[in-house]
Amino acid sequence: MDTSEPGSTAEEEEEKATEQRPRTRSNPEGAEDRALSAQASVGNRSEGEGEAASADDSPQSAATPNGKDWQVPAQPTEFQVKTPRVNCPEKVIICLDLSEEMSLPKLESFNGSKTNALNISQKMIEMFVRTKHKIDKCHEFALVVVNNDATWLSGFTSDPREVCSCLYDLETVVCKSFNLEGLFNLIQQKIELPVTENIQTIPPPYVVRTILVYSRPACQPQFSMTEQMKKMLQCPYFFFDVVYIHNGAEEKEDETSWKEMYTFFSNLDTKGTNYKYEVSVTGPAVELHNCMAKLLAHPLQRPFQTHASYSLLEEEEPAEIEATV
């Protein structure tokens, strides 16, 4: 005779259904479990990923050698941005610095010879554009060159050949300053940021991403935060990634200055969703290629930079390599 209480079987089944799966390789972020949470929404970034870049991952600002502090943007408030993790089309604006420092042969190429940052940047940008095009042929690309002013060389196109045809035969010039405000004004004139009725559940028709490849001695950029710039930087569908090529490893007295420049770019990130990389101009050229490869991920699908991991296995430790003679 069955002595179980009525409804006990249904309660047991309900408890089993609400058990959260462990975080495994097939379920690294508890994706199914988030659907059971009352606060979860469709396609949200996983809980806890909403913080801006931590102080451990970006150099701290310090006083300049002459004792004057930089006028850097205020440290952004940390908050979580929840958007659908979809592979919608991207409008990628690639901004290439043409300052004189880009032409100095200091980087170590694959064969051990010295090459300049401009040559490596042109190659890595071409590889980036062609690879993104293979991933999704709806992606569009534009090319902007930056010297004393910003110039729009190639309009948005989904044809990689059109962008790459404007990428080469470029000359560097001596630049007295970096007009970041002018760059943002130019971008604002060329783009229209998408708007959706519900940021958390409705995918945007496209996103806009700017990738700045920058290499100059640390100097205070020409920049004044306007309401239009603030609105653009706070838009969940706009991203401003930076690859900063500096000479900090070569000239120790300038180390503080390049860290201040890096902090300046980091403080522009009001959402914590942009990616920032710094590479020494005296290091191997492969480091630049690695940074550009990490930018291939879709900005709506990639994790926050502080959570990104590029090892093939979980908790992978670099193996010791022994050379046999």
Side-chain angles (χ1 to χ4, degrees):
M1 181 175 180
D2 188 3
T3 59
S4 61
E5 297 181 2
S8 61
T9 305
E11 291 177 359
E12 291 177 0
E13 292 179 354
E14 184 178 352
E15 289 177 0
K16 291 180 180 179
T18 56
E19 283 184 2
Q20 293 187 348
R21 289 180 54 199
R23 293 173 181 252
T24 61
R25 284 187 197 282
S26 61
N27 187 34
E29 297 180 358
E32 288 83 354
D33 303 335
R34 293 201 306 275
L36 301 175
S37 173
Q39 297 179 349
S41 26
V42 177
N44 287 353
R45 296 178 184 267
S46 61
E47 185 179 356
E49 286 186 348
E51 67 272 13
S54 66
D56 295 337
D57 291 335
S58 60
Q60 296 296 318
S61 61
T64 54
N66 57 12
K68 296 182 180 179
D69 292 332
W70 277 30
Q71 297 179 355
V72 299
Q75 183 69 29
T77 303
E78 298 180 359
F79 63 93
Q80 187 170 4
V81 179
K82 298 182 179 180
T83 52
R85 308 186 78 173
V86 296
N87 182 28
C88 64
E90 282 187 68
K91 292 182 180 291
V92 183
I93 305 171
I94 300 175
C95 303
L96 179 60
D97 188 8
L98 289 183
S99 63
E100 186 182 29
E101 287 73 21
M102 291 286 285
S103 62
L104 302 179
K106 293 184 178 181
L107 281 170
E108 184 178 345
S109 62
F110 298 102
N111 59 7
S113 62
K114 295 295 183 179
T115 185
N116 59 64
L118 178 60
N119 184 31
I120 298 299
S121 298
Q122 290 168 329
K123 293 178 180 178
M124 74 180 189
I125 289 172
E126 180 175 359
M127 293 174 64
F128 173 88
V129 171
R130 293 187 182 277
T131 305
K132 286 289 288 186
H133 178 72
K134 289 183 178 180
I135 295 173
D136 189 339
K137 290 180 172 53
C138 293
H139 293 324
E140 296 182 356
F141 308 92
L143 180 63
V144 175
V145 293
V146 183
N147 37 52
N148 288 312
D149 296 305
T151 305
W152 194 278
L153 279 191
S154 172
F156 285 111
T157 176
S158 57
D159 186 356
R161 295 171 297 181
E162 187 174 340
V163 178
C164 296
S165 65
C166 302
L167 188 58
Y168 297 93
D169 297 327
L170 299 175
E171 296 182 357
T172 59
V173 297
V174 178
C175 299
K176 298 181 179 179
S177 62
F178 175 46
N179 189 0
L180 181 60
E181 185 174 350
L183 175 61
F184 276 116
N185 290 336
L186 178 63
I187 294 173
Q188 288 177 345
Q189 296 171 11
K190 299 291 185 177
I191 67 170
E192 182 177 351
L193 295 175
V195 178
T196 60
E197 294 181 359
N198 191 318
I199 294 177
Q200 297 186 15
T201 59
I202 301 178
Y206 60 88
V207 295
V208 179
R209 176 157 57 131
T210 298
I211 300 177
L212 173 63
V213 180
Y214 179 83
S215 177
R216 301 191 188 189
C219 61
Q220 175 69 54
Q222 297 179 19
F223 181 76
S224 177
M225 182 69 75
T226 64
E227 287 301 320
Q228 288 295 327
M229 292 181 191
K230 188 181 299 184
K231 181 180 179 180
M232 182 171 64
L233 291 170
Q234 291 178 349
C235 176
Y237 309 129
F238 179 81
F239 303 86
F240 188 75
D241 297 338
V242 178
V243 178
Y244 179 33
I245 309 169
H246 61 83
N247 60 358
E250 181 184 52
E251 300 180 16
K252 295 297 182 181
E253 63 272 14
D254 291 340
E255 184 175 358
T256 300
S257 297
W258 76 256
K259 286 184 177 181
E260 286 181 336
M261 192 69 201
Y262 187 90
T263 302
F264 177 90
F265 286 128
S266 298
N267 288 348
L268 290 175
D269 186 6
T270 59
K271 308 182 297 291
T273 56
N274 301 339
Y275 273 31
K276 289 83 60 179
Y277 294 104
E278 51 87 13
V279 179
S280 173
V281 74
T282 58
V286 69
E287 291 297 327
L288 274 176
H289 286 281
N290 289 341
C291 292
M292 208 65 181
K294 293 174 183 177
L295 293 178
L296 284 170
H298 196 287
L300 289 183
Q301 295 180 320
R302 67 190 184 186
F304 287 82
Q305 189 172 7
T306 53
H307 293 217
S309 176
Y310 301 97
S311 60
L312 295 178
L313 301 175
E314 294 180 358
E315 300 180 357
E316 179 183 18
E317 295 182 359
E320 295 182 1
I321 302 176
E322 296 182 359
T324 303
V325 180

